[in-house]
Amino acid sequence: MIAEAGLAALWLAAAMALLQLVGGLTLLRGGAGQLVPLIKPAAYVQGALCTLAFFALMWLFYVTDLSVLLVASNSHIDKPIIFKLAGTWGNHEGSMLLWVAVLSVSGAAIAFFENRVDPKTLSATLAVQAFIALGFFAFLLFASNPFERLVPAPLEGAGLNPLLQDVGLAFHPPTLYMGYVGLSIAFSFAVGALLTNQVGPAFARAMRPWVLGAWIFLTIGIAAGSYWAYYELGWGGWWFWDPVENASLMPWLAATALLHSVSVLATRNALCAWTIMLALVAFAMSMAGTFLVRSGILTSVHAFAVDPERGAFILALMLMYTSIAFVIFALRIGTVKQGEPFQLVSREGGIVANNIFLSVILAVVLIGTLYPLAAEAMGDKISVGPPYFNKATVPVMLLLMLALLIGPMLRWRRDALMRMKYLLIGAAVILVSGGLAAWILAPEVGLYPLLGIALSLALAVAAWMPLRGRKLLRTPLPTFGMVIAHFGIAVSVFGMAAESGFSKETLTALAPGESAEVAGWKVQLEDVKPVVGDNWVAVEGQMVASKNGDMFELGPQSRQFFKPEMQTSEAALLTRWNGQLYAVIAQPDQEGDGRWQVRLWWKPFVTFIWYGGILIALGGAISLLGRMFRRAKKPAINKWERA
Amino acid sequence: MKPKHQRLLLALIAVVALVSAGLIAASALREEASYFYTPTTLAAANVEPGKAIRLGGMVQKGSILRAADGVSITFIVQDQARSQKVAYRGITPDLFVEGSGVVADGRLRPDGIFVAESLLAKHDENYVPKELADIDMTAAANTKNTISQ
């Protein structure tokens, strides 16, 4: 019953989206527009119906209704309740339903809150949004119905991939989806503004919070995903350049570029065509990400669907939306007014540099991700891994950081580098001396980690410079947001460089009572004991790590899950201020002499990677709050004046 | 600068950036993209030692040898026609067992042994490393040892 109600809600929501689209089209064609007053209510109802459908599915997972195919094939009666709920989106159909629900609720939110843009542009934007939603409704209803029944109902259900049974990961997909969907709204705004000839600061101000919000969610999603991979996979790495990771990184890169250029458009009325282009690219990247992850073209924990029909469907949607958008772009871009001029050495110039470097990184990542797929279509089996991505992206990232040292200090329109000669000399001194010091202390480390450390040290200082000479109480919140986010980049890059350049690793086999050393730590394996969990059993290595008289206990586990059967390795992490000790225990040595394989890492400052990520997202949040706060304040002042 | 020139200049910069991105990617791909081989195709191709490649096939029954340190192993990967000796140091995947499929990332050493940096084993019933889908494991199991030592 609940399942049928959910399905009915989806069909009705699709009808609402159609109404919204037709209403928008009649408006654009200059028709009588009887349907126009219905656009906003249709958006509200669509949002409500999709929320209903999503909660219906969640309820089915909550009660573990095994007569629903999706629940039966992805849940299990003995699963902890939080993972039963998270199971709602831990599979292909449920995650696509979440996508659509977030999309529709955001559409309703624009219809309700947005009052800055021209009503016609808003209607066009909502029509584009409905057009996107319709594609996904069709996908859900025809190719991946989450409410399909299973007759007869099985007794217990198949279970959820144990790797995905993790609290952090329960919230990873929704976070990324918020990001993807936020970019779809930026896309709708861009196309809406193009169609109604309203590309200008007002449109940019309406679009900016959505870009900023999407970017914050993507940042959190990527950071959380990276931390998950770090502690859950037990391989000691925090970024594998896996196509699925790239699928979330590419929209982030585009969103970061867009975030910067939309600010130029909002405050300086420049980079109009450029911003529109980036908005289209950012959404195309979200679609490409969804395609890569959901089509089953890749084999990984993320690729739930192995049905080629679904992959083809998403690919067709992606090609349709992006090609239509680029055709509109090509047809209408001539009508977009020229922006305000600026000199190359200026804040705008700095942001152009940011956009260029980010786009180059994006292109390189995109090529590296798609090349193996293209090669496979031609009959070649090729894999493109970290060596390619590191080699091709790290130099550009370092250039980007160099631009970031100076960019935020430049003035709008025109500036002279001579004005900041002392600052520049200071930055150069920190950079060179930091690099030299690191090189003297650790000559065996490669060039990139050393440059990364030097640049991040310089940036850690330079990031705060835009606050110099300002009255802090009067400084707008977005400026603080920018400073904190840039400082976050410095923190994160410092962690990445330190980890990749200075990690120490020990791999050995230990019998209980024996010990191993890594980077000055002595780790003793005291005992190995069996442990039992809700739906797994494990062996736990009881270890004591000691350094300079301090002793800590570590308990890495090797877990065996039952439904489905799978083995995972739970790393034990000991966090110190200057790094983490990472311990993994594996199978017993099969010679049968009582030894266990133990892998230990000392990862200096590795936690900075995610602290930096949190700071970056926090900077975004502060900036977003500042914009909303300023918006909220304005009508109040008007009221005061009127009184 | 006239606005029109500015737009042209920006467009030009964007084109130059994209072209250079393409060039960077192409040169990095030429050096770093790793091709997939089975023992048979590896024997036929002239792969220079030190170049990153992937090797896939079946772990020959009885071929896994563990060294005294408890973490180094050698084993033989085979397909229908040939076999290749592999050395690996590290924790092996859970489903890495004799008679099952494996994909190894690594490089050939000058002495002809393939040194694996990571191993990917058949994960569960629903998941087989993509490269192994075409290899007939039952046929591979009957391959005679073709390594000359």
Side-chain angles (χ1 to χ4, degrees):
Chain A
M1 187 54 215
I2 301 275
E4 284 68 32
L7 188 61
L10 272 186
W11 276 103
L12 281 175
M16 288 297 130
L18 188 63
L19 178 65
Q20 211 175 314
L21 174 63
V22 173
L25 285 180
T26 57
L27 179 73
L28 285 176
R29 299 204 54 111
Q34 288 103 331
L35 286 177
V36 174
L38 292 180
I39 294 180
K40 280 190 176 186
Y44 303 150
V45 177
Q46 189 197 329
L49 285 168
C50 284
T51 314
L52 203 70
F54 183 71
F55 279 109
L57 187 64
M58 209 169 194
W59 176 259
L60 294 173
F61 270 90
Y62 174 70
V63 299
T64 320
D65 183 344
L66 295 170
S67 70
V68 173
L69 175 63
L70 188 65
V71 179
S73 47
N74 289 287
S75 197
H76 186 267
I77 39 175
D78 294 338
K79 208 163 61 169
I81 192 74
I82 169 108
F83 299 125
K84 278 188 181 172
L85 292 179
T88 315
W89 56 80
N91 55 73
H92 168 79
E93 290 85 349
S95 67
M96 291 316 298
L97 178 59
L98 176 66
W99 217 111
V100 170
V102 178
L103 185 77
S104 302
V105 170
S106 313
I110 319 176
F112 191 74
F113 291 110
E114 190 47 62
N115 51 15
R116 282 166 297 192
V117 293
D118 182 75
K120 206 177 164 194
T121 309
L122 183 58
S123 297
T125 303
L126 286 174
V128 178
Q129 189 75 14
F131 184 47
I132 296 172
L134 268 178
F136 283 92
F137 279 125
F139 181 55
L140 267 180
L141 292 169
F142 299 126
S144 25
N145 176 10
F147 296 107
E148 199 172 328
R149 289 284 186 182
L150 178 64
V151 181
L155 290 175
E156 47 179 16
L160 174 71
N161 184 337
L163 276 177
L164 301 178
Q165 295 189 27
D166 177 271
V167 181
L169 204 71
F171 297 97
H172 168 71
T175 324
L176 280 181
Y177 281 8
M178 303 256 188
Y180 286 173
V181 170
L183 291 180
S184 87
I185 292 179
F187 172 88
S188 302
F189 267 117
V191 177
L194 263 183
L195 287 172
T196 53
N197 276 331
Q198 292 285 329
V199 179
F203 136 79
R205 275 184 222 120
M207 181 164 107
R208 178 160 58 180
W210 292 98
V211 177
L212 197 51
W215 177 83
I216 294 168
F217 279 115
L218 284 175
T219 308
I220 296 173
I222 292 173
S226 147
Y227 192 66
W228 170 80
Y230 173 72
Y231 78 78
E232 184 72 25
L233 295 182
W235 298 336
W238 43 271
W239 192 261
F240 299 96
W241 292 108
D242 182 272
V244 169
E245 290 172 319
N246 295 346
S248 66
L249 178 66
M250 291 187 290
W252 184 86
L253 290 167
T256 311
L258 177 60
L259 179 67
H260 288 82
S261 78
V262 78
S263 284
V264 175
L265 181 51
T267 48
R268 298 293 316 163
N269 193 17
L271 301 182
C272 309
W274 193 285
T275 303
I276 296 282
M277 183 73 184
L278 281 174
L280 303 194
V281 169
F283 181 56
M285 287 303 127
S286 301
M287 291 282 297
T290 313
F291 168 68
L292 283 175
V293 175
R294 291 283 170 259
S295 64
I297 200 162
L298 311 165
T299 7
S300 79
V301 285
H302 291 78
F304 307 123
V306 277
D307 184 353
E309 181 196 335
R310 289 176 175 168
F313 206 126
I314 303 185
L315 186 63
L317 281 182
M318 175 173 92
L319 293 178
M320 176 178 76
Y321 289 132
T322 39
S323 53
I324 291 179
F326 282 105
V327 166
I328 295 177
F329 180 82
L331 291 178
R332 304 295 295 226
I333 201 62
T335 66
V336 172
K337 282 201 301 285
Q338 296 283 350
E340 299 286 324
F342 55 86
Q343 301 269 303
L344 276 187
V345 178
S346 64
R347 181 76 73 84
E348 289 96 324
I351 286 176
V352 168
N354 151 302
N355 281 200
I356 293 282
F357 290 136
L358 283 170
S359 307
V360 170
I361 297 172
L362 173 59
V364 167
V365 175
L366 183 67
I367 293 172
T369 309
L370 295 185
Y371 185 71
L373 300 179
E376 198 177 331
M378 317 272 273
D380 259 341
K381 288 175 181 169
I382 291 173
S383 83
V384 175
Y388 163 82
F389 289 103
N390 290 338
K391 184 176 222 163
T393 60
V394 173
V396 191
M397 287 182 200
L398 294 175
L399 281 175
L400 177 61
M401 281 194 76
L402 205 57
L404 179 50
L405 285 180
I406 314 161
M409 283 182 271
L410 293 172
R411 291 179 180 150
W412 292 108
R413 293 206 61 187
R414 68 171 64 178
D415 204 341
L417 285 176
M418 283 309 284
R419 187 173 67 79
M420 299 185 299
K421 54 179 179 264
Y422 297 113
L423 272 175
L424 290 179
I425 291 169
V429 168
I430 298 180
L431 226 139
V432 172
S433 56
L436 274 179
W439 185 64
I440 290 164
L441 291 173
E444 77 283 358
V445 179
L447 178 67
Y448 290 161
L450 295 182
L451 280 175
I453 286 176
L455 276 167
S456 57
L457 289 176
L459 181 61
V461 179
W464 299 96
M465 286 300 153
L467 293 180
R468 205 175 53 121
R470 273 182 180 259
K471 288 202 172 64
L472 288 186
L473 286 178
R474 287 213 193 151
T475 307
L477 278 181
T479 307
F480 280 110
M482 172 188 85
V483 164
I484 291 171
H486 287 166
F487 179 68
I489 301 259
V491 172
S492 203
V493 172
F494 181 78
M496 295 174 193
E499 195 279 337
S500 53
F502 297 88
S503 280
K504 295 276 179 291
E505 182 191 348
T506 297
L507 174 67
T508 180
L510 298 179
E514 290 180 338
S515 64
E517 295 218 0
V518 62
W521 286 87
K522 180 171 169 252
V523 179
Q524 180 157 359
L525 182 66
E526 307 265 279
D527 203 355
V528 179
K529 290 234 164 93
V531 195
V532 179
D534 280 336
N535 48 356
W536 48 264
V537 291
V539 285
E540 180 175 296
Q542 296 176 332
M543 301 180 176
V544 173
S546 55
K547 187 179 188 178
N548 306 333
D550 294 333
M551 309 248 275
F552 303 91
E553 286 187 358
L554 291 172
Q557 297 179 345
S558 173
R559 284 189 188 169
Q560 176 74 46
F561 282 81
F562 305 123
K563 281 274 172 185
E565 257 185 58
M566 190 168 175
Q567 220 157 20
T568 69
S569 147
E570 296 287 307
L573 298 177
L574 171 65
T575 308
R576 311 297 293 151
W577 69 273
N578 59 348
Q580 267 181 338
L581 190 63
Y582 186 116
V584 174
I585 191 161
Q587 293 314 297
D589 179 7
Q590 278 158 19
E591 300 292 285
D593 55 2
R595 292 189 301 174
W596 295 77
Q597 292 185 334
V598 171
R599 194 166 198 173
L600 304 167
W601 277 279
W602 171 250
K603 298 187 164 288
F605 298 104
V606 67
T607 46
F608 279 40
I609 298 173
W610 303 290
Y611 292 148
I614 294 169
L615 281 173
I616 296 168
L618 179 72
I622 289 175
S623 177
L624 186 60
L625 274 181
R627 307 245 175 255
M628 295 197 326
F629 183 61
R630 242 190 334 196
R631 248 184 95 194
K633 228 164 65 178
K634 260 185 192 154
I637 292 169
N638 289 344
K639 244 183 245 163
W640 186 253
E641 280 170 352
R642 253 181 264 143
Chain B
M1 200 186 315
K2 278 188 194 152
K4 194 147 218 171
H5 293 165
Q6 177 157 321
R7 186 174 266 194
L8 257 165
L9 181 69
L10 287 180
L12 202 69
I13 291 176
V15 169
V16 169
L18 283 183
V19 169
S20 45
L23 291 177
I24 294 171
S27 94
L29 274 178
R30 204 167 37 240
E31 290 164 39
E32 304 292 351
S34 66
Y35 280 78
F36 175 81
Y37 296 96
T38 65
T40 307
T41 54
L42 183 63
N46 192 11
V47 177
E48 58 185 286
K51 174 141 177 58
I53 57 171
R54 305 186 106 190
L55 173 73
M58 195 186 86
V59 183
Q60 192 179 69
K61 290 217 170 74
S63 74
I64 300 181
L65 297 177
R66 289 173 195 271
D69 67 358
V71 289
S72 301
I73 58 169
T74 61
F75 56 95
I76 290 166
V77 165
Q78 61 184 19
D79 58 12
Q80 285 88 330
R82 296 192 72 91
S83 46
Q84 166 68 41
K85 190 168 183 184
V86 179
Y88 175 70
R89 189 169 182 276
I91 292 174
T92 52
D94 309 320
L95 291 155
F96 175 79
V97 283
E98 293 177 351
S100 179
V102 70
V103 174
D105 268 313
R107 293 154 209 277
L108 275 178
R109 226 163 44 190
D111 64 3
I113 291 175
F114 183 84
V115 181
E117 282 147 25
S118 69
L119 297 180
L120 188 65
K122 187 184 159 187
H123 226 260
D124 62 31
E125 299 316 310
N126 308 317
Y127 170 76
V128 179
K130 210 164 46 178
E131 292 87 341
L132 294 184
D134 311 342
I135 297 180
D136 180 355
M137 287 296 160
T138 24
N142 300 320
T143 307
K144 293 207 176 62
N145 195 349
T146 51
I147 292 178
S148 42
Q149 272 162 340

